[in-house]
Structure formats: C-alpha cells, structure tokens
Amino acid sequence: MNNDPLSHGLWEATAPSLSPGTPLAKEIVADAVIVGGGFTGCSAAFHLAAAGRAPVVLEAEDIGFGGAGRNVGLVNAGMWVMPDDLVASLAAPYGERLVSQLGEAPRLVFDLIERLGIDCEAVHRGTLHCAVGRKGHGDITERARQWLARGADVRLLDAREAAHFTGSHAYAGALLDRRAGTIQPLAYVRGLADHAARGGARIHTRSPVIACEDLGSAWRISTPAGQVVAPWVIFATDAYSRGACADIRAEQVMLPYFQLATRSLSLELAATILPGRQGAWDTRSILSSFRLDAHGRLVFGSVGALRGLGKSIHADWGQREIARLFPQLAKVELEHRWYGRIGMTGDAVPRLHLHGRNMVSVSGYNGRGIAPGTTFGRDLARLALGEIGLEDFSLPLSDLRAAPFGGCRSAFYEAGAQLAHFTGSRFHQPVHRGS
Ligand SMILES: Cc1cc2nc3c(=O)[nH]c(=O)nc-3n(C[C@H](O)[C@H](O)[C@H](O)COP(=O)(O)OP(=O)(O)OC[C@H]3O[C@@H](n4cnc5c(N)ncnc54)[C@H](O)[C@@H]3O)c2cc1C
C-alpha cells in the first residue's frame, strides 16, 4: 500500500489485490462526492451506485489506507459502552434506535459479503468478550443482562466454557455474541470498493481533498490536480481525516493499537486456540484482542504504537503475553507487526455532522467501525438519494468541537500502554489449567 510493513501488515500481505486506481486529474461532475475510501465511504459509494447514481470516491492514499486496512477484523454488534449507557447518553428516540441499528449491523456486513461474494475470510460464528478477574466478570454479566433484555443472541459462558472456547485458562468467563464474527478487513473494504466501481462509482486514489467551494446549488471539491462538482458531499474520513476535513480528526482523541501475527500454526496447534474460530478481546482497560486468520496465524493486538520505544516494548510484551495465554506458543515466530490509530470521542458515541448544505459526515467509531461504518455508509447513501432525512438517523446531529487537550490525552494513552507493557507478563507464570 505505502511500502510500510508497519501500517497494514498481515492484511496487506494476504488481501486480494485491487486495481490501484488513478489520481483525479481533471474537472468532472458527479451525483455525489465521497471523501475517504474506508468502510463508510465504500459502503456509501456501493449503495449509491447500486441505486443507479454516479458517485465519485476521492481517497487521499489507497482504498483501506485508514483504520479499515489496519484493524483486528472483529465485526462487532454495538459499541464499547453498554446498551443502557448508550440509551442514557442520547435523547429519545436516538439511544434505542442506535442500539438496535448497531445490534443488526453485523448481519448487514455478512449479508453483503455473501450476496456480493466478497473474498474476505468471513467467519460468522460470534465473538468472545473475555472477562479478566471479578471486575471483568461483573462487566460481561451486566452486558449480557442488557443485551438479553433486548432479545440479542448472546450467551454468558462460565470460566470452564470460556477456557473451552478460547483455549486459555486466563478468563473468569466470556460473553459469546453470536451476532458478530470476523473478517479480513482490508479484503472486505477492497471488495466493497470493487463492487461500487462495477456499479458505476468512479474511484480516484492518491487524491487528497484540499478545498471545498460552495457554488450555491453544488459543491466544487478540489484535489491537487482536479475537481469534482456535485450536489452532495459525504466525508468518510474518521481518524485519518486530513486536508479539508482535518477538523473531524481534531474532535477525537487518538488511541494507538498494534497487532502481531504469528506464522501459520500447524493444524494441531491451531486446533488448541479458539477452536470455534470466534474473535476475542478482553475486559482490561489496556485491552488485548486475539483471533486466527484463514491460514491459522494467531493475530494478537493491544494498545500501543510500534514506533520509538514502543516498537520493542509492545512487541516484546505481546510475545510474552501470547506465551502466558497459550504456553504451547512460547517460542512462536512472528511474521507481521503493524499498528494504527483509533479515534475516540468523549462519550464513546459516533458523530453525525452537517458541515454545510448537503455536506455530511459520520465519524468517531471508537474502535467499532466495520459494522457501524457499513450501516452508516448505507444511511449516508440513502440521505443523498432522498430516501431518508437527517432526522431519521440513529445519531443526533451535533456540532464539531475539538477535543480538549486531544494531543496530550493521546500521548497519555501511549505512555500508559508502554508502562503497562514494559512490566506486564514479565513476572507471570504461563496460564495453565486451574492457575
Ligand atoms: C488498529 C485498529 C484496530 C481496529 N479494530 C477494529 C475491529 O476489530 N473492529 C471494528 O469494527 N473496528 C476496528 N477498528 C476501527 C475501524 O477500523 C475504524 O472505525 C474504521 O476504519 C472507520 O471507517 P471509515 O471508513 O469511517 O474510516 P477509515 O477506514 O479510517 O478511512 C478513512 C479514509 O479517509 C481517507 N482520507 C482522510 N482525509 C482525506 C482527504 N482529505 N481526502 C481524501 N481522503 C481522505 C484516509 O486516507 C482513509 O483511507 C480498528 C482501528 C484500528 C486502527
């Protein structure tokens, strides 16, 4: 993608390729301009093209360059915050609407993958939110209660069952969410982009949007070498926003997140880890995630940036932690390592902004962008098609406000993760049955 193995790691190495595309180099007219080629932008482009419109996607780098091509691949239902807290933080009717839309969003992702035949290692067998200690157990128990009250397909597992599902005895229990699953995220976003293009969307990569001019009945959107004139503009740039939409990024606090992928494990070893092939993460505040890819590699991640001191601190800790959770992988070789940034909002709720007439954005997914980006991308397409109004969204419109001390808080996350990982797992024994 950008010749940096630390940016898209395993996903770049194993995703089906996509035609690299060309930069915009002239003035063109379109039904809508979509800025950003991640899940939100490619879903919006696909749904507009499927409805017979001619959108243009302008991507500053390549499709999937942002969070879409770097993430864990957990297709989650809901946000980090518990359903009742989401409802409490938004005025009626938004809260329940949002919880319901996000609960159904994984189904939309897996249906699209199946209907379009996207080759992206999709496994729709649920995710496991693994409880660490009593506090973690209390967290997942309450989560289970709130989701079950809404009729969601979730089940609380005790410590024995959690060990059976994860292959590790480290957890006090787990919440199995059967609505969710895993994908190869870069392959999915490339598949969406490919189908949007086949439907008539024009995709221009290496085309950063640097200016927007209001022409009265339309917008002129400029890149260094071209312009698009269109009545609708959708910003889908989230934590990687830059240029003309850098203010979207300024309202978020950045949480760095890295991942390590082992070599492909033997069939015998792979059968001992997540035998049901769910994706997993834990309840710690400096959380860890783990899953297998289609070739039996363990993909393990946590908070931190692989640069400067963090490069060795996080990777060394990751290797120790893998050995602690799965002693059979004590000396496993790592093939890939990479990292990215997650954009967090103050209340962990995504944002819907109106930047001008017919100029909108959804952003701030707080590490939950696959299913939400896909479903909000579809809503943004419906908005531009005139099928729904802004009042029909499950997010209220809000003003764009820079996060107070955003840079300092991002640095604090990284420093905290380095401190925790420098000491973490160093003095722990591997987790065995009963330990
Ligand atoms: C390491 C990591 C792990 C994650 N794990 C998960 C997970 O397991 N599950 C999950 O659901 N979510 C996860 N996320 C979050 C998820 O990846 C994001 O929420 C999601 O990618 C947001 O989608 P998007 O399309 O809105 O933005 P992005 O995917 O970030 O795409 C935005 C695009 O906009 C482009 N852009 C920015 N400015 C401009 C401009 N001026 N002109 C043109 N283009 C521009 C960027 O280059 C970028 O390609 C993770 C994120 C990271 C970084």
Side-chain angles (χ1 to χ4, degrees):
M1 179 121 40
N2 52 351
N3 289 326
D4 179 0
L6 283 178
S7 64
H8 301 86
L10 171 66
W11 304 141
E12 175 68 51
T14 59
S17 60
L18 180 70
S19 148
T22 51
L24 180 69
K26 58 181 179 183
E27 179 160 314
I28 57 175
V29 174
D31 290 328
V33 183
I34 295 157
V35 186
F39 304 123
T40 311
C42 292
S43 171
F46 168 75
H47 285 99
L48 276 167
R53 299 299 160 92
V56 168
V57 177
L58 299 176
E59 162 55 51
E61 302 286 344
D62 286 308
I63 295 298
F65 174 82
R70 303 166 192 251
N71 76 52
V72 183
L74 301 171
V75 186
N76 293 110
M79 301 302 291
W80 291 112
V81 263
M82 294 205 199
D84 286 359
D85 294 341
L86 261 190
V87 173
S89 67
L90 294 174
Y94 295 108
E96 284 297 350
R97 255 194 218 170
L98 182 62
V99 170
S100 159
Q101 180 170 5
L102 296 183
E104 287 161 19
R107 164 63 54 203
L108 171 67
V109 172
F110 288 108
D111 281 354
L112 271 176
I113 290 169
E114 195 178 332
R115 180 155 62 86
L116 303 177
I118 297 177
D119 177 12
C120 64
E121 305 184 11
V123 181
H124 196 180
R125 294 198 200 134
T127 51
L128 297 160
H129 192 180
C130 303
V132 177
R134 284 177 58 173
K135 184 168 175 299
H137 194 263
D139 178 328
I140 61 162
T141 305
E142 178 56 18
R143 246 171 231 279
R145 188 191 68 71
Q146 294 184 15
W147 277 123
L148 287 169
R150 291 174 169 83
D153 189 6
V154 301
R155 187 158 80 82
L156 198 57
L157 309 178
D158 63 21
R160 191 182 51 79
E161 289 174 301
H164 170 75
F165 272 83
T166 59
S168 174
H169 292 272
Y171 304 110
L175 180 62
L176 171 63
D177 189 335
R178 282 181 285 232
R179 299 167 297 176
T182 59
I183 56 170
Q184 207 279 30
L186 182 59
Y188 171 59
V189 76
R190 284 183 177 174
L192 274 183
D194 183 36
H195 283 275
R198 289 194 216 180
R202 282 168 289 176
I203 298 180
H204 291 284
T205 51
R206 293 178 298 290
S207 302
V209 169
I210 50 175
C212 307
E213 186 189 348
D214 191 350
L215 303 177
S217 58
W219 291 93
R220 178 182 285 120
I221 303 302
S222 299
T223 66
Q227 293 91 34
V228 188
V229 174
W232 277 93
V233 182
I234 294 171
F235 284 112
T237 50
D238 198 35
Y240 283 81
S241 299
R242 62 193 240 201
C245 49
D247 49 353
I248 293 176
R249 177 173 155 191
E251 83 173 335
Q252 305 175 353
V253 174
M254 296 302 150
L255 179 75
Y257 202 87
F258 72 94
Q259 295 185 82
L260 311 172
T262 68
R263 62 166 168 77
S264 293
L265 305 177
S266 66
L267 286 179
E268 294 73 31
L269 266 182
T272 65
I273 297 165
L274 295 166
R277 295 298 177 256
Q278 288 82 18
W281 76 102
D282 69 30
T283 55
R284 287 181 291 192
S285 48
I286 301 179
L287 79 160
S288 302
S289 55
F290 54 101
R291 55 163 295 185
L292 292 166
D293 81 342
H295 307 280
R297 298 179 183 89
L298 178 70
V299 182
F300 177 87
S302 183
V303 177
L306 299 183
R307 60 166 185 256
L309 278 179
K311 202 166 176 176
S312 56
I313 290 177
H314 298 308
D316 292 351
W317 169 81
Q319 188 116 37
R320 295 196 301 275
E321 184 67 358
I322 290 172
R324 185 182 77 83
L325 294 172
F326 305 108
Q328 66 274 39
L329 300 188
K331 298 255 182 295
V332 73
E333 187 190 319
L334 298 178
E335 262 184 8
H336 300 277
R337 52 192 76 190
W338 70 102
Y339 73 105
R341 54 175 183 257
I342 295 175
M344 311 291 285
T345 57
D347 56 3
V349 178
R351 298 285 190 263
L352 168 66
H353 295 307
L354 183 64
H355 302 262
R357 183 188 33 78
N358 291 356
M359 182 182 267
V360 285
S361 66
V362 177
S363 56
Y365 294 115
N366 292 272
R368 294 284 177 102
I370 301 175
T374 305
T375 186
F376 286 126
R378 183 177 64 173
D379 282 354
L380 290 164
R382 285 179 173 165
L383 181 72
L385 289 166
E387 292 176 2
I388 60 171
L390 283 166
E391 67 285 358
D392 298 314
F393 272 69
S394 62
L395 292 169
L397 266 181
S398 58
D399 296 332
L400 200 53
R401 287 200 195 97
F405 309 108
C408 297
R409 286 156 70 195
S410 300
F412 178 75
Y413 282 145
E414 173 58 18
Q418 281 193 17
L419 193 62
H421 289 165
F422 182 69
T423 49
S425 305
R426 210 175 273 278
F427 311 110
H428 289 110
Q429 296 301 312
V431 187
H432 292 294
R433 185 179 296 278
S435 59

